[in-house]
Amino acid sequence: MKWNTINQRIQETFTFLHGNAEISWKEHNTTKYVANILKESGCRVTTFDDCTGVIGEFGHFTKGLPIVAIRADMDALWQEVNGVFQANHSCGHDAHMAMVLGLLWALKENPELHDQIAVKFIFQPAEEKSAGALKMVEKGGIDNVDYLFGIHLRPAQETQMGYATPVIVHGATRKYRATIKGHDAHGARPHLNHNAIEIGAQLVDMMNNIHLDPRIPHTVKMTSFHAGGESINIIPGSATFSVDMRAQSNELINQLEKKVQGIFTAISDLYDISISVDEVSGVVAAKTNKEAIGIMKQAIGHSLGAGKIAPPLVTPGGDDFHYYTIKKPALKATMVGLGCNLKPGLHHPAMTFNKTALLNGVKILYHAILQTYGIKK
């Protein structure tokens, strides 16, 4: 295997993708770039008229072989970097794409494998909007898929450099954008309205006093609040805000959401104002599969050494990857957590990691393919 050549291509690809980041549902150039590489590498390629994203098929899909899908997320975050708002790959999706393309190049380097495998490469949009996986399901992306593997960079405090975990056990999330609707009043007449800022503070206090099963991690917090304008002498009656809820199980996130909705209703009734939830998003908690985890565990051991297999990683973070298994329960899926000395953390505008770890990720995915098909090499 020409790992040095593949590594050079991975690094060049990562550099290009990092410098040309695009946000959710606007990954148009990224889609074209990846689609061209897939075609040049011998894949049958599918793109879509109504959304970004691309799927490539490599190998033989007419021999009755099990079909293995590899998923990479494509979108960047919109955030302030050095005082300027821009698309920024601070969650590692540029790295994920580069590694999955590296897997394709590794498979292509071995022609004797081509009639023994059926691998589908799913480059998915809008993971940060928790919507891209559902769109790929809608497009039939996993209709004929038996196994699904993903990979994600992990912060240094979770997984050490040179190590990898065979499964990331993500939690569930619910995210609200909401509006408090009342009326404004003069600053000298606070008895004529209810101050939306004070209502917001009461919402925060009440959400902080939600108590559910302490054995299952869960949090709820307000993540934005906007009220008032240029005039200092106006008491704002209206505001917009957002709430982020997280729980380690799908059952508990439903309980948490019910409590939050109850708080909204109670505050609305108390102050005779309206609190409306205008947008709901989120992801489901992971449903793990023993067979897929076993395959990935052996792949990590083969690639990095048996002593480099990290234990399963339980994290309050979320990923829409798990919608694939919710929508197709028979799917055997797992996501690798790759140690790469990532600091200070995911979604930090100045996130960095050790790029030599990218080749580790490619090797793990490559050996997972071999392991799935029982190929000795």
Side-chain angles (χ1 to χ4, degrees):
M1 181 70 73
K2 299 177 182 177
W3 287 120
N4 289 338
T5 302
I6 291 172
N7 186 48
Q8 183 177 346
R9 292 188 71 181
I10 296 166
Q11 300 298 332
E12 291 171 353
T13 301
F14 168 80
T15 299
F16 177 84
L17 291 168
H18 187 77
N20 293 274
E22 296 177 301
I23 60 174
S24 304
W25 298 125
K26 297 184 179 180
E27 311 96 330
H28 300 291
N29 291 328
T30 305
T31 296
K32 292 177 183 177
Y33 176 79
V34 171
N36 286 335
I37 292 176
L38 294 173
K39 290 175 185 176
E40 291 168 0
S41 301
C43 288
R44 296 171 294 281
V45 174
T46 302
T47 54
F48 310 99
D49 294 333
D50 59 343
C51 68
T52 47
V54 56
I55 295 175
E57 293 182 345
F58 186 86
H60 280 263
F61 283 72
T62 58
K63 295 180 63 176
L65 294 168
I67 295 174
V68 179
I70 310 292
R71 176 267 209 171
D73 30 21
M74 303 170 69
D75 54 330
L77 291 156
W78 184 257
Q79 63 184 164
E80 186 176 1
V81 183
N82 298 323
V84 178
F85 277 93
Q86 63 184 63
N88 185 43
H89 273 302
S90 59
C91 200
H93 295 185
D94 45 1
H96 305 162
M97 287 186 282
M99 286 186 284
V100 171
L101 289 172
L103 167 64
L104 171 59
W105 296 324
L107 294 173
K108 186 183 177 185
E109 283 289 322
N110 290 268
E112 71 277 9
L113 298 178
H114 298 179
D115 64 352
Q116 302 180 64
I117 61 175
V119 181
K120 182 178 284 192
F121 295 90
I122 300 174
F123 288 84
Q124 176 210 298
E127 188 279 328
E128 298 296 349
K129 295 290 187 182
S130 306
L134 290 172
K135 177 59 73 172
M136 292 297 99
V137 171
E138 176 190 319
K139 295 296 184 181
I142 60 166
D143 283 357
N144 58 350
V145 172
D146 301 289
Y147 296 86
L148 175 67
F149 301 137
I151 191 165
H152 206 300
L153 305 183
R154 301 319 302 166
Q157 62 268 31
E158 289 186 357
T159 308
Q160 297 180 48
M161 174 65 190
Y163 288 72
T165 174
V167 59
I168 304 174
V169 187
H170 285 107
T173 70
R174 292 280 195 286
K175 292 176 282 188
Y176 285 175
R177 292 190 187 278
T179 300
I180 298 169
K181 188 64 178 176
H183 59 271
D184 294 347
H186 193 289
R189 299 170 180 85
H191 62 294
L192 296 181
N193 83 332
H194 294 293
N195 189 331
I197 297 172
E198 294 174 355
I199 290 171
Q202 190 161 356
L203 287 171
V204 170
D205 184 62
M206 293 181 73
M207 288 189 295
N208 284 342
N209 282 286
I210 293 174
H211 299 293
L212 299 175
D213 189 340
R215 298 169 299 175
I216 304 174
H218 59 279
T219 65
V220 56
K221 77 290 295 181
M222 193 176 286
T223 54
S224 72
F225 191 88
H226 302 277
E230 292 295 322
S231 300
I232 298 175
N233 63 340
I234 292 177
I235 302 170
S238 299
T240 60
F241 66 97
S242 58
V243 174
D244 179 284
M245 294 171 266
R246 295 176 184 265
Q248 206 58 50
S249 74
N250 292 317
E251 294 75 20
L252 200 71
I253 196 70
N254 292 333
Q255 295 178 35
L256 186 58
E257 184 175 30
K258 185 177 180 180
K259 290 285 188 182
V260 170
Q261 291 173 346
I263 290 170
F264 289 180
T265 299
I267 292 292
S268 298
D269 292 344
L270 179 63
Y271 293 109
D272 194 25
I273 49 91
S274 167
I275 299 178
S276 62
V277 177
D278 308 314
E279 180 184 329
V280 180
S281 60
V283 294
V284 291
K287 293 293 186 182
T288 60
N289 179 268
K290 289 183 180 179
E291 183 180 346
I293 295 169
I295 290 170
M296 204 56 69
K297 188 174 181 179
Q298 291 189 51
I300 294 168
H302 191 98
S303 304
L304 307 182
K308 302 296 184 179
I309 304 170
L313 175 62
V314 178
T315 172
D319 197 297
D320 77 349
F321 178 85
H322 305 293
Y323 275 124
Y324 291 111
T325 51
I326 292 295
K327 294 298 182 179
K328 186 175 182 180
L331 194 62
K332 301 170 183 177
T334 193
M335 178 179 282
V336 182
L338 184 68
C340 57
N341 199 33
L342 188 152
K343 296 179 179 179
L346 293 167
H347 289 206
H348 191 285
M351 183 273 278
T352 61
F353 67 97
N354 188 333
K355 296 173 185 61
T356 63
L358 295 178
L359 188 59
N360 289 345
V362 175
K363 290 180 178 179
I364 292 168
L365 294 175
Y366 176 75
H367 287 291
I369 296 294
L370 299 185
Q371 179 68 31
T372 303
Y373 288 101
I375 300 170
K376 305 295 182 183
K377 192 172 176 63

Short mmCIF file of all heavy atoms in Angstrom, two decimals, residues 93-150:
data_model
loop_
_atom_site.label_atom_id
_atom_site.label_comp_id
_atom_site.label_asym_id
_atom_site.label_seq_id
_atom_site.Cartn_x
_atom_site.Cartn_y
_atom_site.Cartn_z
N HIS A 93 -15.31 18.58 10.04
CA HIS A 93 -15.94 17.95 8.89
C HIS A 93 -15.02 17.93 7.67
O HIS A 93 -15.11 17.04 6.83
CB HIS A 93 -17.25 18.65 8.55
CG HIS A 93 -18.29 18.52 9.61
ND1 HIS A 93 -19.58 19.00 9.46
CD2 HIS A 93 -18.25 17.97 10.85
CE1 HIS A 93 -20.28 18.75 10.57
NE2 HIS A 93 -19.48 18.14 11.42
N ASP A 94 -14.13 18.92 7.57
CA ASP A 94 -13.13 18.90 6.50
C ASP A 94 -12.22 17.69 6.65
O ASP A 94 -11.87 17.02 5.67
CB ASP A 94 -12.32 20.20 6.49
CG ASP A 94 -11.87 20.65 7.88
OD1 ASP A 94 -12.16 19.96 8.89
OD2 ASP A 94 -11.22 21.70 7.97
N ALA A 95 -11.86 17.37 7.89
CA ALA A 95 -11.02 16.20 8.15
C ALA A 95 -11.77 14.91 7.84
O ALA A 95 -11.20 13.96 7.29
CB ALA A 95 -10.56 16.21 9.61
N HIS A 96 -13.06 14.87 8.19
CA HIS A 96 -13.86 13.66 7.94
C HIS A 96 -13.94 13.38 6.44
O HIS A 96 -13.79 12.23 6.00
CB HIS A 96 -15.26 13.82 8.53
CG HIS A 96 -15.26 14.16 9.98
ND1 HIS A 96 -16.36 14.68 10.63
CD2 HIS A 96 -14.29 14.06 10.93
CE1 HIS A 96 -16.07 14.88 11.91
NE2 HIS A 96 -14.82 14.52 12.10
N MET A 97 -14.19 14.42 5.65
CA MET A 97 -14.25 14.23 4.20
C MET A 97 -12.91 13.75 3.65
O MET A 97 -12.86 12.85 2.80
CB MET A 97 -14.67 15.54 3.52
CG MET A 97 -16.13 15.90 3.70
SD MET A 97 -16.61 17.37 2.74
CE MET A 97 -15.93 18.69 3.76
N ALA A 98 -11.82 14.36 4.13
CA ALA A 98 -10.50 13.97 3.64
C ALA A 98 -10.19 12.52 3.96
O ALA A 98 -9.63 11.78 3.14
CB ALA A 98 -9.44 14.90 4.24
N MET A 99 -10.57 12.06 5.16
CA MET A 99 -10.30 10.67 5.54
C MET A 99 -11.14 9.69 4.72
O MET A 99 -10.65 8.64 4.31
CB MET A 99 -10.56 10.48 7.05
CG MET A 99 -9.49 11.08 7.93
SD MET A 99 -9.71 10.68 9.69
CE MET A 99 -11.06 11.78 10.12
N VAL A 100 -12.40 10.03 4.49
CA VAL A 100 -13.25 9.12 3.72
C VAL A 100 -12.79 9.04 2.26
O VAL A 100 -12.79 7.97 1.66
CB VAL A 100 -14.73 9.55 3.83
CG1 VAL A 100 -15.61 8.75 2.88
CG2 VAL A 100 -15.21 9.35 5.27
N LEU A 101 -12.34 10.16 1.71
CA LEU A 101 -11.75 10.11 0.38
C LEU A 101 -10.45 9.32 0.40
O LEU A 101 -10.13 8.58 -0.54
CB LEU A 101 -11.50 11.53 -0.14
CG LEU A 101 -12.76 12.31 -0.52
CD1 LEU A 101 -12.44 13.76 -0.83
CD2 LEU A 101 -13.48 11.67 -1.72
N GLY A 102 -9.69 9.43 1.49
CA GLY A 102 -8.48 8.63 1.63
C GLY A 102 -8.78 7.14 1.62
O GLY A 102 -8.02 6.34 1.05
N LEU A 103 -9.89 6.75 2.24
CA LEU A 103 -10.32 5.35 2.19
C LEU A 103 -10.58 4.92 0.76
O LEU A 103 -10.16 3.82 0.33
CB LEU A 103 -11.58 5.16 3.03
CG LEU A 103 -12.32 3.83 2.84
CD1 LEU A 103 -11.45 2.66 3.29
CD2 LEU A 103 -13.64 3.84 3.58
N LEU A 104 -11.27 5.76 0.00
CA LEU A 104 -11.53 5.44 -1.41
C LEU A 104 -10.23 5.22 -2.17
O LEU A 104 -10.09 4.25 -2.93
CB LEU A 104 -12.34 6.57 -2.05
CG LEU A 104 -12.53 6.50 -3.57
CD1 LEU A 104 -13.24 5.21 -3.97
CD2 LEU A 104 -13.30 7.73 -4.06
N TRP A 105 -9.26 6.09 -1.96
CA TRP A 105 -7.98 5.96 -2.66
C TRP A 105 -7.25 4.68 -2.23
O TRP A 105 -6.61 4.04 -3.05
CB TRP A 105 -7.11 7.18 -2.41
CG TRP A 105 -7.72 8.44 -2.97
CD1 TRP A 105 -8.45 8.55 -4.13
CD2 TRP A 105 -7.69 9.75 -2.38
NE1 TRP A 105 -8.87 9.84 -4.30
CE2 TRP A 105 -8.42 10.61 -3.26
CE3 TRP A 105 -7.13 10.30 -1.24
CZ2 TRP A 105 -8.58 11.97 -3.01
CZ3 TRP A 105 -7.28 11.64 -0.98
CH2 TRP A 105 -8.01 12.47 -1.86
N ALA A 106 -7.36 4.33 -0.96
CA ALA A 106 -6.72 3.09 -0.50
C ALA A 106 -7.36 1.86 -1.14
O ALA A 106 -6.68 0.92 -1.54
CB ALA A 106 -6.80 3.00 1.03
N LEU A 107 -8.68 1.87 -1.25
CA LEU A 107 -9.37 0.75 -1.90
C LEU A 107 -9.03 0.68 -3.39
O LEU A 107 -8.84 -0.40 -3.95
CB LEU A 107 -10.89 0.89 -1.72
CG LEU A 107 -11.41 0.77 -0.29
CD1 LEU A 107 -12.90 1.10 -0.24
CD2 LEU A 107 -11.15 -0.62 0.30
N LYS A 108 -8.94 1.84 -4.03
CA LYS A 108 -8.62 1.87 -5.45
C LYS A 108 -7.22 1.32 -5.71
O LYS A 108 -6.97 0.73 -6.78
CB LYS A 108 -8.73 3.30 -5.97
CG LYS A 108 -8.57 3.42 -7.48
CD LYS A 108 -8.62 4.86 -7.94
CE LYS A 108 -8.39 4.93 -9.46
NZ LYS A 108 -8.32 6.33 -9.92
N GLU A 109 -6.30 1.50 -4.76
CA GLU A 109 -4.92 1.02 -4.92
C GLU A 109 -4.83 -0.50 -4.93
O GLU A 109 -3.79 -1.05 -5.26
CB GLU A 109 -4.05 1.57 -3.77
CG GLU A 109 -3.64 3.01 -3.91
CD GLU A 109 -2.62 3.22 -5.01
OE1 GLU A 109 -1.74 2.35 -5.17
OE2 GLU A 109 -2.73 4.23 -5.74
N ASN A 110 -5.93 -1.19 -4.58
CA ASN A 110 -5.93 -2.65 -4.49
C ASN A 110 -6.99 -3.23 -5.42
O ASN A 110 -8.09 -3.58 -4.98
CB ASN A 110 -6.19 -3.08 -3.04
CG ASN A 110 -5.03 -2.77 -2.13
OD1 ASN A 110 -4.14 -3.59 -1.93
ND2 ASN A 110 -5.01 -1.57 -1.57
N PRO A 111 -6.67 -3.38 -6.71
CA PRO A 111 -7.67 -3.86 -7.68
C PRO A 111 -8.24 -5.23 -7.35
O PRO A 111 -9.39 -5.52 -7.70
CB PRO A 111 -6.86 -3.91 -8.99
CG PRO A 111 -5.74 -2.94 -8.80
CD PRO A 111 -5.39 -3.03 -7.34
N GLU A 112 -7.47 -6.05 -6.63
CA GLU A 112 -7.97 -7.38 -6.30
C GLU A 112 -9.15 -7.34 -5.34
O GLU A 112 -9.87 -8.33 -5.18
CB GLU A 112 -6.84 -8.24 -5.71
CG GLU A 112 -6.40 -7.85 -4.30
CD GLU A 112 -5.41 -6.70 -4.23
OE1 GLU A 112 -5.17 -6.06 -5.28
OE2 GLU A 112 -4.88 -6.45 -3.14
N LEU A 113 -9.38 -6.20 -4.69
CA LEU A 113 -10.50 -6.06 -3.76
C LEU A 113 -11.80 -5.67 -4.46
O LEU A 113 -12.89 -5.87 -3.91
CB LEU A 113 -10.18 -5.00 -2.71
CG LEU A 113 -9.00 -5.22 -1.76
CD1 LEU A 113 -8.85 -4.02 -0.84
CD2 LEU A 113 -9.18 -6.49 -0.96
N HIS A 114 -11.70 -5.11 -5.66
CA HIS A 114 -12.83 -4.41 -6.25
C HIS A 114 -14.05 -5.29 -6.48
O HIS A 114 -15.18 -4.81 -6.42
CB HIS A 114 -12.40 -3.71 -7.54
CG HIS A 114 -11.36 -2.66 -7.33
ND1 HIS A 114 -10.81 -1.92 -8.35
CD2 HIS A 114 -10.74 -2.23 -6.19
CE1 HIS A 114 -9.91 -1.09 -7.86
NE2 HIS A 114 -9.84 -1.25 -6.56
N ASP A 115 -13.84 -6.58 -6.79
CA ASP A 115 -14.99 -7.45 -7.01
C ASP A 115 -15.42 -8.18 -5.74
O ASP A 115 -16.30 -9.03 -5.77
CB ASP A 115 -14.70 -8.45 -8.13
CG ASP A 115 -13.58 -9.41 -7.78
OD1 ASP A 115 -12.92 -9.20 -6.74
OD2 ASP A 115 -13.36 -10.37 -8.55
N GLN A 116 -14.79 -7.81 -4.59
CA GLN A 116 -15.14 -8.44 -3.32
C GLN A 116 -15.88 -7.50 -2.38
O GLN A 116 -16.26 -7.90 -1.28
CB GLN A 116 -13.87 -8.94 -2.61
CG GLN A 116 -13.04 -9.94 -3.40
CD GLN A 116 -11.81 -10.37 -2.62
OE1 GLN A 116 -11.92 -10.99 -1.55
NE2 GLN A 116 -10.63 -10.03 -3.11
N ILE A 117 -16.05 -6.24 -2.81
CA ILE A 117 -16.63 -5.23 -1.93
C ILE A 117 -17.73 -4.46 -2.65
O ILE A 117 -17.77 -4.40 -3.89
CB ILE A 117 -15.57 -4.24 -1.40
CG1 ILE A 117 -14.92 -3.49 -2.57
CG2 ILE A 117 -14.52 -4.95 -0.56
CD1 ILE A 117 -13.95 -2.39 -2.15
N ALA A 118 -18.63 -3.87 -1.86
CA ALA A 118 -19.66 -2.95 -2.37
C ALA A 118 -19.76 -1.83 -1.35
O ALA A 118 -20.43 -1.97 -0.32
CB ALA A 118 -20.99 -3.67 -2.55
N VAL A 119 -19.07 -0.72 -1.62
CA VAL A 119 -18.94 0.37 -0.65
C VAL A 119 -19.62 1.63 -1.18
O VAL A 119 -19.38 2.05 -2.31
CB VAL A 119 -17.45 0.66 -0.35
CG1 VAL A 119 -17.34 1.79 0.68
CG2 VAL A 119 -16.76 -0.60 0.18
N LYS A 120 -20.46 2.18 -0.35
CA LYS A 120 -21.18 3.42 -0.69
C LYS A 120 -20.60 4.57 0.15
O LYS A 120 -20.51 4.47 1.37
CB LYS A 120 -22.67 3.26 -0.42
CG LYS A 120 -23.51 4.48 -0.78
CD LYS A 120 -24.99 4.23 -0.53
CE LYS A 120 -25.60 3.36 -1.60
NZ LYS A 120 -27.08 3.36 -1.52
N PHE A 121 -20.21 5.65 -0.52
CA PHE A 121 -19.66 6.82 0.16
C PHE A 121 -20.73 7.90 0.22
O PHE A 121 -21.14 8.43 -0.81
CB PHE A 121 -18.42 7.33 -0.59
CG PHE A 121 -17.27 6.35 -0.59
CD1 PHE A 121 -17.15 5.41 -1.60
CD2 PHE A 121 -16.33 6.37 0.42
CE1 PHE A 121 -16.10 4.50 -1.60
CE2 PHE A 121 -15.28 5.46 0.44
CZ PHE A 121 -15.17 4.52 -0.58
N ILE A 122 -21.19 8.20 1.42
CA ILE A 122 -22.25 9.20 1.61
C ILE A 122 -21.63 10.48 2.15
O ILE A 122 -21.17 10.53 3.31
CB ILE A 122 -23.33 8.69 2.58
CG1 ILE A 122 -23.97 7.40 2.04
CG2 ILE A 122 -24.40 9.76 2.80
CD1 ILE A 122 -24.95 6.76 3.01
N PHE A 123 -21.60 11.51 1.31
CA PHE A 123 -21.13 12.83 1.75
C PHE A 123 -22.37 13.67 2.02
O PHE A 123 -23.07 14.10 1.10
CB PHE A 123 -20.22 13.45 0.69
CG PHE A 123 -18.88 12.78 0.61
CD1 PHE A 123 -18.70 11.63 -0.14
CD2 PHE A 123 -17.80 13.29 1.33
CE1 PHE A 123 -17.46 11.00 -0.19
CE2 PHE A 123 -16.56 12.67 1.28
CZ PHE A 123 -16.39 11.52 0.52
N GLN A 124 -22.64 13.87 3.28
CA GLN A 124 -23.92 14.37 3.76
C GLN A 124 -23.87 15.86 4.10
O GLN A 124 -22.97 16.30 4.80
CB GLN A 124 -24.31 13.58 5.00
CG GLN A 124 -25.58 14.06 5.68
CD GLN A 124 -25.56 13.81 7.17
OE1 GLN A 124 -25.48 12.67 7.59
NE2 GLN A 124 -25.64 14.87 7.96
N PRO A 125 -24.85 16.63 3.64
CA PRO A 125 -24.92 18.05 4.02
C PRO A 125 -25.54 18.24 5.40
O PRO A 125 -26.09 17.32 6.00
CB PRO A 125 -25.82 18.64 2.94
CG PRO A 125 -26.76 17.53 2.62
CD PRO A 125 -25.93 16.26 2.72
N ALA A 126 -25.43 19.46 5.91
CA ALA A 126 -26.26 19.98 6.99
C ALA A 126 -26.30 19.15 8.27
O ALA A 126 -27.32 19.07 8.93
CB ALA A 126 -27.69 20.19 6.47
N GLU A 127 -25.17 18.58 8.66
CA GLU A 127 -25.13 17.90 9.96
C GLU A 127 -25.33 18.91 11.08
O GLU A 127 -26.00 18.62 12.08
CB GLU A 127 -23.81 17.15 10.15
CG GLU A 127 -23.75 16.26 11.38
CD GLU A 127 -23.45 16.99 12.69
OE1 GLU A 127 -22.70 18.00 12.64
OE2 GLU A 127 -23.96 16.58 13.75
N GLU A 128 -24.77 20.10 10.92
CA GLU A 128 -24.88 21.12 11.97
C GLU A 128 -26.32 21.60 12.15
O GLU A 128 -26.66 22.19 13.17
CB GLU A 128 -23.96 22.30 11.68
CG GLU A 128 -22.47 21.96 11.65
CD GLU A 128 -21.92 21.48 12.98
OE1 GLU A 128 -22.64 21.60 14.00
OE2 GLU A 128 -20.77 21.02 13.02
N LYS A 129 -27.16 21.37 11.16
CA LYS A 129 -28.59 21.70 11.27
C LYS A 129 -29.40 20.48 11.70
O LYS A 129 -30.63 20.56 11.78
CB LYS A 129 -29.12 22.20 9.92
CG LYS A 129 -28.52 23.52 9.46
CD LYS A 129 -29.00 24.67 10.30
CE LYS A 129 -28.54 26.00 9.72
NZ LYS A 129 -28.97 27.16 10.56
N SER A 130 -28.72 19.37 11.96
CA SER A 130 -29.39 18.12 12.38
C SER A 130 -30.42 17.66 11.36
O SER A 130 -31.45 17.08 11.72
CB SER A 130 -30.06 18.31 13.75
OG SER A 130 -29.13 18.77 14.70
N ALA A 131 -30.16 17.93 10.08
CA ALA A 131 -31.16 17.66 9.06
C ALA A 131 -30.63 16.88 7.87
O ALA A 131 -31.40 16.31 7.10
CB ALA A 131 -31.77 18.97 8.55
N GLY A 132 -29.31 16.85 7.69
CA GLY A 132 -28.75 16.23 6.50
C GLY A 132 -28.93 14.73 6.43
O GLY A 132 -29.19 14.17 5.35
N ALA A 133 -28.81 14.05 7.57
CA ALA A 133 -28.99 12.59 7.58
C ALA A 133 -30.41 12.23 7.16
O ALA A 133 -30.62 11.31 6.37
CB ALA A 133 -28.67 12.02 8.96
N LEU A 134 -31.39 12.95 7.67
CA LEU A 134 -32.78 12.68 7.30
C LEU A 134 -33.00 12.91 5.81
O LEU A 134 -33.77 12.19 5.17
CB LEU A 134 -33.71 13.57 8.13
CG LEU A 134 -33.80 13.22 9.62
CD1 LEU A 134 -34.60 14.28 10.37
CD2 LEU A 134 -34.42 11.84 9.83
N LYS A 135 -32.33 13.91 5.25
CA LYS A 135 -32.46 14.16 3.81
C LYS A 135 -31.85 13.02 3.00
O LYS A 135 -32.43 12.58 2.00
CB LYS A 135 -31.78 15.48 3.44
CG LYS A 135 -31.78 15.80 1.95
CD LYS A 135 -33.18 15.89 1.39
CE LYS A 135 -33.90 17.15 1.83
NZ LYS A 135 -35.19 17.34 1.12
N MET A 136 -30.71 12.48 3.44
CA MET A 136 -30.10 11.35 2.73
C MET A 136 -30.97 10.09 2.85
O MET A 136 -31.05 9.30 1.91
CB MET A 136 -28.70 11.08 3.28
CG MET A 136 -27.67 12.18 2.99
SD MET A 136 -27.33 12.45 1.23
CE MET A 136 -28.36 13.89 0.89
N VAL A 137 -31.63 9.92 3.98
CA VAL A 137 -32.58 8.81 4.12
C VAL A 137 -33.73 8.99 3.15
O VAL A 137 -34.15 8.05 2.45
CB VAL A 137 -33.11 8.73 5.58
CG1 VAL A 137 -34.25 7.72 5.67
CG2 VAL A 137 -32.00 8.34 6.54
N GLU A 138 -34.26 10.20 3.08
CA GLU A 138 -35.35 10.52 2.15
C GLU A 138 -34.95 10.23 0.70
O GLU A 138 -35.77 9.77 -0.11
CB GLU A 138 -35.72 12.00 2.29
CG GLU A 138 -36.77 12.50 1.34
CD GLU A 138 -36.90 14.01 1.38
OE1 GLU A 138 -36.86 14.58 2.50
OE2 GLU A 138 -37.05 14.63 0.31
N LYS A 139 -33.68 10.47 0.37
CA LYS A 139 -33.18 10.25 -0.98
C LYS A 139 -32.84 8.79 -1.26
O LYS A 139 -32.37 8.46 -2.35
CB LYS A 139 -31.93 11.10 -1.21
CG LYS A 139 -32.18 12.60 -1.19
CD LYS A 139 -33.10 13.02 -2.33
CE LYS A 139 -33.28 14.53 -2.37
NZ LYS A 139 -34.20 14.94 -3.46
N GLY A 140 -33.07 7.92 -0.28
CA GLY A 140 -32.80 6.50 -0.49
C GLY A 140 -31.36 6.11 -0.28
O GLY A 140 -30.95 5.01 -0.70
N GLY A 141 -30.60 6.96 0.38
CA GLY A 141 -29.18 6.73 0.53
C GLY A 141 -28.81 5.45 1.27
O GLY A 141 -27.73 4.88 1.04
N ILE A 142 -29.68 4.98 2.17
CA ILE A 142 -29.35 3.76 2.93
C ILE A 142 -30.34 2.63 2.67
O ILE A 142 -30.33 1.63 3.39
CB ILE A 142 -29.29 4.06 4.45
CG1 ILE A 142 -30.63 4.60 4.96
CG2 ILE A 142 -28.14 5.00 4.78
CD1 ILE A 142 -30.76 4.59 6.46
N ASP A 143 -31.14 2.75 1.64
CA ASP A 143 -32.17 1.74 1.37
C ASP A 143 -31.58 0.33 1.28
O ASP A 143 -32.17 -0.63 1.79
CB ASP A 143 -32.91 2.06 0.08
CG ASP A 143 -33.92 3.18 0.26
OD1 ASP A 143 -34.09 3.66 1.40
OD2 ASP A 143 -34.54 3.58 -0.74
N ASN A 144 -30.45 0.19 0.64
CA ASN A 144 -29.87 -1.14 0.42
C ASN A 144 -28.62 -1.38 1.26
O ASN A 144 -27.85 -2.31 0.99
CB ASN A 144 -29.52 -1.31 -1.07
CG ASN A 144 -28.56 -0.23 -1.57
OD1 ASN A 144 -28.31 0.74 -0.87
ND2 ASN A 144 -28.05 -0.40 -2.78
N VAL A 145 -28.41 -0.55 2.28
CA VAL A 145 -27.17 -0.61 3.07
C VAL A 145 -27.33 -1.55 4.26
O VAL A 145 -28.36 -1.55 4.94
CB VAL A 145 -26.78 0.81 3.55
CG1 VAL A 145 -25.61 0.75 4.52
CG2 VAL A 145 -26.44 1.69 2.35
N ASP A 146 -26.29 -2.35 4.51
CA ASP A 146 -26.29 -3.28 5.64
C ASP A 146 -25.46 -2.77 6.82
O ASP A 146 -25.82 -2.99 7.97
CB ASP A 146 -25.74 -4.63 5.18
CG ASP A 146 -26.56 -5.23 4.06
OD1 ASP A 146 -27.69 -5.66 4.32
OD2 ASP A 146 -26.07 -5.25 2.91
N TYR A 147 -24.33 -2.12 6.52
CA TYR A 147 -23.43 -1.59 7.55
C TYR A 147 -23.20 -0.11 7.26
O TYR A 147 -23.11 0.31 6.10
CB TYR A 147 -22.08 -2.30 7.52
CG TYR A 147 -22.13 -3.77 7.87
CD1 TYR A 147 -22.41 -4.72 6.89
CD2 TYR A 147 -21.89 -4.22 9.17
CE1 TYR A 147 -22.45 -6.08 7.20
CE2 TYR A 147 -21.93 -5.57 9.49
CZ TYR A 147 -22.21 -6.49 8.50
OH TYR A 147 -22.25 -7.83 8.80
N LEU A 148 -23.07 0.68 8.33
CA LEU A 148 -22.78 2.10 8.19
C LEU A 148 -21.70 2.48 9.19
O LEU A 148 -21.85 2.26 10.40
CB LEU A 148 -24.04 2.94 8.44
CG LEU A 148 -23.84 4.46 8.44
CD1 LEU A 148 -23.46 4.95 7.04
CD2 LEU A 148 -25.10 5.18 8.92
N PHE A 149 -20.63 3.08 8.69
CA PHE A 149 -19.54 3.53 9.55
C PHE A 149 -19.34 5.03 9.39
O PHE A 149 -19.47 5.58 8.29
CB PHE A 149 -18.23 2.82 9.20
CG PHE A 149 -18.29 1.32 9.33
CD1 PHE A 149 -17.73 0.49 8.36
CD2 PHE A 149 -18.91 0.72 10.42
CE1 PHE A 149 -17.78 -0.90 8.47
CE2 PHE A 149 -18.98 -0.66 10.55
CZ PHE A 149 -18.41 -1.48 9.57
N GLY A 150 -19.03 5.69 10.49
CA GLY A 150 -18.67 7.10 10.47
C GLY A 150 -17.40 7.30 11.27
O GLY A 150 -16.93 6.38 11.95
#
